[in-house]
Amino acid sequence: MTAKELPAIYEPKKVEDKIYKIWEESGFFNPDNLNLPSDAKSYTIVLPPPNITAKLHLGHSAMLAIGDLMIRFRRMRGYRALWIPGTDHAAIATQNVVEKKIFNESGLTRHALGKEEFLKKVWEFLKETQTTILHQTRKMGSSLDWSREAFTLDDQRKKAVTQMFVDMYEAGVIYQGERIVNWCPRCQSTLADDEVEHQHQETKLYTFRYWKDFPIAISTTRPETKLGDTAVAVNPKDERYKKFIGQEFEGNFCGINLKIKIIADREVEMDFGTGALGVTPAHSMIDWKMAENNNLNIIKVIDESGKIHPGFGKYSTLSVFEARALIITDLKEENLIEKEENIVNNLSICYRCDTAIEPLPSKQWFVAVDKPVEKLSNKSLKEKAIEVATNQEIKFVPDRFTKIYLNWMENLHDWCISRQIWFGHSIPAYYCKCGEAIVSKERPKKCPTCDSTDLTQDEDSLDTWFSSGMWTFSTLGWPENFKDNHKSGDLKRFHPTQMLETGHEILTLWVSRMIMMSLFAIGEIPFENVYLHGMIVDKDGKKMSKSKGNGIDPLDMIEKFGTDAVRLSLLMGSTPGNDMRLSEEKIENYRNFVNKLWNISRFVISKTAEADINNNIEEKNLTFADKWIISKMENLIIGVTADLEKYSFSLAGEKLQEFTKNDFADWYLEVAKFEGNLAEKNIILGKILKDLLKLWHPFIPFVTEEIWTKLNADKLLLIENWPTAEDWNKIIAKDNNTDSDVFEKTQLIITAIRNLRAENKIEPTKKLKTIIYAGDDFEQIKDAEILIKNLRTSVGELIIEKSGEKPAEALYTIVGGIEIYLINEIDKIAEQKRIMGELENLKKYTSGLEQRLSNKEFIKKAPAQIVAQENEKLLQAKTNISEMEKYLEKLI
RNA sequence: GGACGAUUAGCUCAGUUGGUUAGAGCACUUCUCUUACAAAGAAGGGGUCACUGGUUCGAGUCCAGUAUCGUCCACCA
């Protein structure tokens, strides 16, 4: 094939869908088809299931790019690589989206529509978005095992959730209890703490007394709740009120009898209002806690629809706003209000409908996190979940999230898992009119107490995190694959999984719950590593959102620049846990790079047409340039592999880019042009390209696979073996005469030429390239090498050989020498200037060294090894100087 | 209020256990349409590593404090 036969511009659109189809049909996304030895290690990742509420955004794309990189890397390294796809039903979020949609289209509420009809609509919506999401996921090139696809609300997961609920109930972990919850009066549902948002609002702060002779004035923004006050809390340090602590008062507040106890609580701020807080246990989170601590009565004032309960005289049945206005009027009449001021406070609102949250006590299902569990050796879920992170059974990348996780876990409270919504997992609890409640996998035939068959199932649904918390094992066949404490099937082969790749914003919401649930269900951790990617923000560092209109649609970008470019721009320059800025320009830039790789390949393919690149390379035929690129390749493989192992994806990518552009394209390809059609060179070109494509594959799978097909490969790049440095090392290791730095030398010559070109007034490019690489003049490289050797002898042993660590430093000093030689050939005067500058530098360096070595402290305290090194450096530098001076003399 | 980060070139960021003169990409300047690539190539300019102290022979790197910005959590009576 010649380069002419391939277009100079790579067109992703023509390639990507075709390639993805080939991959998918090959079956290799499923590790069962990989033909691996039975002892092959597994590497499993479960994909965080995206909510089916909307199409994917760039955050998802980043997640897919990183996940796919990890899984492709492991697959090529011979692991049983499994990546499980799925979607999340996102109970409350989905219900709200659909509810809004229906209301906008027909003006109907879900109640008007009825549960059955409404759920039908939800499923219709769900199918639609699910299809979109799965399409987008494929477009990203994700090598997911679609045969194991799951949905958090499909039949298999329903079974698992029911089983889990029953198991937890029987172990006493799940209980029903009354607690203060965030209630949305519009959604008619509780909200988890993290579903509550806050909004600043201007409001009035009233300072008043309950009645005339009540000793303390209190401040409130919600006078209507004061009908249910049972205490006044003050700061224990507050001198003004100390004397009242423990006292009880009884009196009449707006026609209602109240018993008020004065309690002390550190949470009370002395500076706010009067420094005294009216405690309404039923309608404030903090008050509830105080009530628990002080054994206070709980009086419910507000009902589920936001109206005042019966029993509060004329206020009953009024809405909170009406009641508030009326109470203010009444208080004013009685002259109890002492102050009225405008303040800005933080209002809790529903994250879906922005309605103000009404905290109120309600009967809910909870997961107890502090209760000792028998099968966890009488440790609580919380204790176990903390333990596995503390002892590093689960490792977080980056490590700082271990602290965040632990901090959060330690403050964890019981988890409310019931939601008053229609869409979601049903709760396997059944109630009888006689008051009996039964928790059971199947609907019980009759009530065990009264034999009644009239049982009704709990109407609530489960928090979506309850089902997604089981994701690592519910996707691997739990509970069927877990009998008598023994794992079987997929669960045995793939659990615990190796990696969870997710956004750090759901570390607490999801990750912690997965850990607790896995520990409970199968007694093991769900994953060994958690890689937390950052948030994708726009180029100004702002969060991307629909309302701001600064979002970038991944599909648009793929359409415009190709998937590989999008993937690269998401992988490069991103470090775990840190937010990443992304702009269209960045994607465009990587599109250019992908095209560059394409063109490099075109060139190589045209050169290798006649050569059989499967032939072995004969070492004796190698030139310096060959050895240099081979050694570079060897280092590249080592470096990239190590970086990928430790999740430094961006660093690995940079190394690859550096090699591809600077070493391979800019220099070796140029050399190849001048060295003509040497068969050996073409074989090397081909072999390098092949390994380079393998190394790039996890980053940019499409273009590499496409080029791969042009190389007459017998199998897909997808399942090729990861390159090894040894293969390259073998080629050159046999050469006894090969100095450890022979390749670096070639590079140095190249550097010298570059410097020369920069300084010389002659038109250098072609001429110099010719001098170095072409025909007879190529001998000059060898001459240069002899010169280097001479220099080395005269300078003595170089640091590289002694320290073996920092060759570049030592070599830096001999660059001057090489340059002398080459430049001498062309322009002695220019050289003179150069060498003088060089000398100056060296002298500066030398004096620095001398200064350091004359420092007594240094001699005394620095390790002997360092001192010796420094001495040696000085010696070298001095020798170099004298060498250079000699050269300078010769020049003149 | 609690926890955790960040601050390095005009911009976006690397900098791998402390080690000689701190790097890349973009942008900028100059040159080149040289046959894989103008979606390109070559060369160049640009930095008091936020600030102040400390540890050390040696600090962008470790410690403490300050400032600014950010994220998460709690919470606003």
Side-chain angles (χ1 to χ4, degrees):
Chain A
M1 179 154 333
T2 64
K4 290 259 153 59
E5 289 170 40
L6 293 173
I9 289 179
Y10 169 65
E11 288 177 80
K13 264 191 277 185
K14 288 191 181 161
V15 172
E16 291 177 353
D17 288 347
K18 177 192 79 185
I19 298 259
Y20 196 85
K21 210 173 152 217
I22 294 172
W23 285 336
E24 209 174 338
E25 284 170 359
S26 76
F28 293 131
F29 289 172
N30 181 345
D32 300 338
N33 299 329
L34 284 174
N35 256 331
L36 293 166
S38 58
D39 62 343
K41 277 192 199 160
S42 64
Y43 194 89
T44 313
I45 307 178
V46 289
L47 178 73
N51 286 357
I52 41 95
T53 45
K55 58 184 182 179
L56 301 188
H57 51 70
L58 272 173
H60 294 111
S61 304
M63 169 181 89
L64 292 168
I66 296 169
D68 197 45
L69 168 70
M70 294 196 271
I71 214 79
R72 280 180 193 267
F73 173 57
R74 299 292 166 165
R75 190 183 292 119
M76 291 175 83
R77 298 203 84 196
Y79 284 79
R80 202 178 294 286
L82 172 63
W83 194 18
I84 302 176
T87 41
D88 190 347
H89 71 287
I92 195 164
T94 305
Q95 167 155 331
N96 277 311
V97 167
V98 176
E99 214 174 332
K100 229 173 214 173
K101 193 166 164 253
I102 291 172
F103 188 81
N104 287 342
E105 282 166 10
S106 62
L108 290 174
T109 66
R110 75 179 150 113
H111 295 282
L113 210 59
K115 184 166 176 175
E116 202 175 317
E117 192 59 25
F118 177 76
L119 285 180
K120 222 173 98 188
K121 295 268 186 204
V122 174
W123 280 96
E124 277 167 24
F125 168 83
L126 187 160
K127 285 287 164 219
E128 214 174 283
T129 48
Q130 207 173 34
T131 310
T132 313
I133 286 168
L134 297 179
H135 171 70
Q136 283 176 301
T137 308
R138 284 180 162 88
K139 285 296 261 186
M140 278 301 292
S142 324
S143 55
L144 289 151
D145 180 5
W146 295 104
S147 72
R148 287 180 167 88
E149 188 195 334
F151 176 52
T152 56
L153 193 61
D154 59 17
D155 288 342
Q156 178 60 36
R157 260 43 66 177
K158 275 184 192 163
K159 258 189 246 170
V161 163
T162 307
Q163 181 74 48
M164 187 77 176
F165 190 97
V166 173
D167 287 354
M168 283 186 137
Y169 179 79
E170 282 168 1
V173 173
I174 284 185
Y175 66 93
Q176 203 172 20
E178 183 139 291
R179 259 202 29 193
I180 189 153
V181 293
N182 304 301
W183 179 266
C184 173
R186 196 211 64 95
C187 299
Q188 286 286 299
S189 176
T190 51
L191 294 175
D193 289 345
D194 33 70
E195 288 165 339
V196 175
E197 283 177 2
H198 298 96
Q199 197 179 60
H200 288 284
Q201 64 150 20
E202 245 186 48
T203 187
K204 279 208 158 69
L205 179 71
Y206 302 97
T207 299
F208 70 100
R209 282 169 205 269
Y210 292 108
W211 52 82
K212 278 256 150 43
D213 54 351
F214 193 82
I216 302 172
I218 60 161
S219 301
T220 184
T221 53
R222 300 204 52 189
E224 73 280 11
T225 64
K226 299 294 111 184
L227 297 166
D229 279 13
T230 50
V232 164
V234 298
N235 194 295
K237 287 185 198 150
D238 199 325
E239 295 298 334
R240 292 172 292 179
Y241 307 123
K242 235 176 185 169
K243 56 180 182 263
F244 298 115
I245 293 171
Q247 292 184 30
E248 274 188 75
F249 300 88
E250 200 168 343
N252 188 292
F253 169 65
C254 295
I256 310 296
N257 253 341
L258 288 184
K259 265 191 201 164
I260 305 286
K261 190 180 178 184
I262 313 297
I263 60 169
D265 197 296
R266 278 185 322 196
E267 300 273 323
V268 182
E269 278 178 45
M270 292 189 275
D271 301 338
F272 190 90
T274 59
L277 157 68
V279 180
T280 322
H283 302 290
S284 153
M285 294 287 172
I286 188 169
D287 295 8
W288 177 270
K289 273 182 222 155
M290 290 183 195
E292 273 183 339
N293 294 339
N294 294 281
N295 248 331
L296 300 176
N297 275 341
I298 292 154
I299 301 169
K300 291 189 202 177
V301 181
I302 300 159
D303 71 8
E304 279 75 5
S305 53
K307 295 200 163 69
I308 306 296
H309 264 295
F312 291 101
K314 61 178 178 182
Y315 305 114
S316 289
T317 72
L318 295 181
S319 78
V320 291
F321 299 104
E322 292 161 346
R324 186 179 306 171
L326 190 54
I327 283 185
I328 294 301
T329 317
D330 292 348
L331 286 173
K332 276 181 182 161
E333 260 172 36
E334 294 185 46
N335 225 356
L336 287 167
I337 297 214
E338 298 183 353
K339 209 179 183 182
E340 199 178 319
E341 54 197 315
N342 286 321
I343 60 159
V344 173
N345 78 344
N346 211 352
L347 182 71
S348 299
I349 55 170
C350 173
Y351 82 118
R352 283 313 310 171
C353 63
D354 293 353
T355 308
I357 295 300
E358 204 59 71
L360 46 86
S362 157
K363 208 168 196 188
Q364 303 289 339
W365 291 97
F366 291 90
V367 170
V369 294
D370 287 312
K371 190 175 172 177
V373 181
E374 203 182 320
K375 66 178 185 177
L376 297 177
S377 342
N378 279 320
K379 286 181 178 156
S380 69
L381 286 178
K382 188 197 268 189
E383 282 171 313
K384 279 301 277 186
I386 287 174
E387 191 181 297
V388 293
T390 312
N391 66 18
Q392 296 275 299
E393 260 183 87
I394 296 176
K395 291 190 207 65
F396 291 89
V397 182
D399 186 46
R400 67 185 153 93
F401 282 100
T402 308
K403 277 191 270 181
I404 296 179
Y405 169 82
L406 287 174
N407 182 265
W408 193 80
M409 281 309 289
E410 272 151 20
N411 295 316
L412 188 67
H413 299 295
D414 284 3
W415 168 26
C416 177
I417 50 168
S418 42
R419 297 284 183 277
Q420 288 62 46
I421 50 172
W422 290 345
F423 180 62
H425 282 279
S426 315
I427 293 173
Y430 303 85
Y431 306 104
C432 176
K433 290 213 171 75
C434 73
E436 180 74 31
I438 310 125
V439 169
S440 154
K441 273 201 280 182
E442 310 285 331
R443 167 182 285 273
K445 294 215 166 60
K446 55 180 190 178
C447 170
T449 312
C450 69
D451 284 351
S452 162
T453 53
D454 186 16
L455 299 168
T456 50
Q457 186 168 5
D458 196 304
E459 285 182 354
D460 291 351
S461 293
L462 284 171
D463 181 11
T464 188
W465 299 109
F466 190 85
S467 54
S468 50
M470 304 167 61
W471 197 233
T472 60
F473 51 93
S474 71
T475 51
L476 291 172
W478 190 90
E480 281 79 5
N481 284 340
F482 192 72
K483 293 274 161 4
D484 306 318
N485 260 330
H486 285 288
K487 296 187 288 180
S488 60
D490 273 4
L491 192 66
K492 188 175 179 185
R493 293 201 295 157
F494 299 113
H495 205 276
T497 65
Q498 276 59 52
M499 172 59 70
L500 179 77
E501 196 290 302
T502 190
H504 63 71
E505 69 278 3
I506 52 174
L507 173 70
T508 49
L509 289 180
W510 188 41
V511 177
S512 63
R513 276 145 196 183
M514 286 174 95
I515 294 174
M516 287 192 290
M517 291 179 94
S518 177
L519 286 169
F520 179 85
I522 35 185
E524 64 182 26
I525 52 171
F527 28 71
E528 290 160 3
N529 300 287
V530 184
Y531 179 100
L532 296 145
H533 64 249
M535 222 167 33
I536 311 291
V537 293
D538 72 7
K539 61 171 189 270
D540 301 319
K542 300 256 162 55
K543 211 168 174 170
M544 287 188 184
S545 71
K546 265 189 223 158
S547 53
K548 280 193 210 123
N550 60 351
I552 298 180
D553 182 351
L555 274 189
D556 286 353
M557 293 299 108
I558 288 175
E559 175 72 18
K560 217 162 157 184
F561 302 113
T563 301
D564 290 327
V566 172
R567 286 172 62 124
L568 258 192
S569 63
L570 290 166
L571 291 166
M572 301 294 280
S574 97
T575 43
N578 295 327
D579 291 351
M580 191 190 49
R581 300 188 185 202
L582 189 72
S583 59
E584 204 169 315
E585 291 77 45
K586 187 174 177 187
I587 305 174
E588 189 179 352
N589 185 246
Y590 284 109
R591 188 269 317 266
N592 295 352
F593 177 75
V594 167
N595 196 52
K596 174 99 184 161
L597 183 64
W598 173 258
N599 276 302
I600 289 169
S601 307
R602 254 174 28 128
F603 176 76
V604 174
I605 288 168
S606 74
K607 296 287 275 186
T608 54
E610 312 90 53
D612 182 355
I613 60 168
N614 293 318
N615 276 352
N616 285 329
I617 299 167
E618 288 294 324
E619 192 198 357
K620 60 178 182 344
N621 298 336
L622 297 184
T623 65
F624 292 113
D626 297 338
K627 290 181 180 179
W628 169 72
I629 196 75
I630 286 172
S631 132
K632 278 276 172 187
M633 189 70 203
E634 194 186 329
N635 288 336
L636 179 71
I637 294 170
I638 294 169
V640 168
T641 309
D643 284 341
L644 293 184
E645 288 279 4
K646 59 185 185 204
Y647 315 110
S648 303
F649 306 130
S650 186
L651 216 56
E654 274 173 46
K655 286 196 173 104
L656 277 165
Q657 221 181 331
E658 163 86 16
F659 176 88
T660 309
K661 286 184 83 163
N662 300 350
D663 296 335
F664 194 47
D666 290 359
W667 287 102
Y668 193 68
L669 256 48
E670 296 300 327
V671 172
K673 285 180 194 169
F674 283 103
E675 286 191 348
N677 285 320
L678 295 174
E680 219 69 42
K681 182 127 291 138
N682 295 340
I683 297 171
I684 298 170
L685 277 174
K687 282 190 188 295
I688 298 234
L689 179 65
K690 273 185 125 178
D691 272 9
L692 192 57
L693 290 175
K694 288 181 191 174
L695 293 173
W696 268 122
H697 183 72
F699 291 83
I700 41 175
F702 287 114
V703 68
T704 49
E705 186 78 75
E706 173 68 9
I707 298 168
W708 194 252
T709 62
K710 314 290 182 206
L711 287 169
N712 305 321
D714 53 358
K715 58 177 178 177
L716 290 171
L717 183 54
L718 172 74
I719 50 162
E720 273 290 341
N721 292 326
W722 192 249
T724 57
E726 290 80 53
D727 284 349
W728 292 101
N729 187 259
K730 265 192 292 192
I731 299 172
I732 49 176
K734 285 168 282 176
D735 186 354
N736 294 328
N737 300 322
T738 306
D739 288 328
S740 62
D741 60 338
V742 65
F743 319 109
E744 295 290 346
K745 264 185 250 165
T746 309
Q747 197 186 20
L748 280 173
I749 294 163
I750 287 162
T751 312
I753 300 299
R754 284 179 159 174
N755 291 341
L756 179 61
R757 237 192 301 186
E759 201 163 300
N760 213 296
K761 48 249 171 209
I762 62 162
E763 184 265 312
T765 316
K766 258 186 178 169
K767 192 172 173 184
L768 283 178
K769 277 185 185 170
T770 313
I771 288 171
I772 306 169
Y773 300 118
D776 297 334
D777 287 327
F778 186 70
E779 290 301 311
Q780 289 192 22
I781 289 186
K782 288 177 186 163
D783 291 345
E785 202 219 354
I786 293 164
L787 172 74
I788 294 164
K789 274 193 174 159
N790 292 342
L791 263 177
R792 285 160 55 92
T793 321
S794 63
V795 171
E797 289 297 308
L798 285 172
I799 300 172
I800 10 158
E801 281 157 19
K802 285 260 166 93
S803 69
E805 280 166 7
K806 293 231 163 190
E809 293 160 15
L811 288 163
Y812 177 73
T813 59
I814 61 172
V815 169
I818 303 164
E819 286 178 351
I820 291 165
Y821 177 82
L822 290 168
I823 291 168
N824 209 11
E825 296 295 306
I826 301 162
D827 190 341
K828 287 188 177 175
I829 297 161
E831 165 53 18
Q832 231 173 303
K833 279 184 200 160
R834 244 202 117 60
I835 196 71
M836 281 161 83
E838 196 62 47
L839 261 174
E840 205 172 307
N841 272 346
L842 260 176
K843 280 179 179 165
K844 241 191 255 171
Y845 171 52
T846 312
S847 78
L849 277 171
E850 276 173 339
Q851 211 174 348
R852 195 174 314 137
L853 283 163
S854 63
N855 183 342
K856 281 175 195 159
E857 288 290 291
F858 173 72
I859 302 294
K860 218 187 329 180
K861 293 186 182 167
Q865 197 195 342
I866 301 277
V867 177
Q869 265 178 32
E870 298 286 303
N871 266 312
E872 202 175 317
K873 286 176 195 168
L874 181 63
L875 199 70
Q876 250 163 41
K878 282 183 172 170
T879 324
N880 274 352
I881 288 176
S882 73
E883 279 298 320
M884 282 184 147
E885 278 170 347
K886 272 186 215 164
Y887 271 103
L888 204 58
E889 272 173 36
K890 271 190 200 171
L891 280 173
I892 298 162

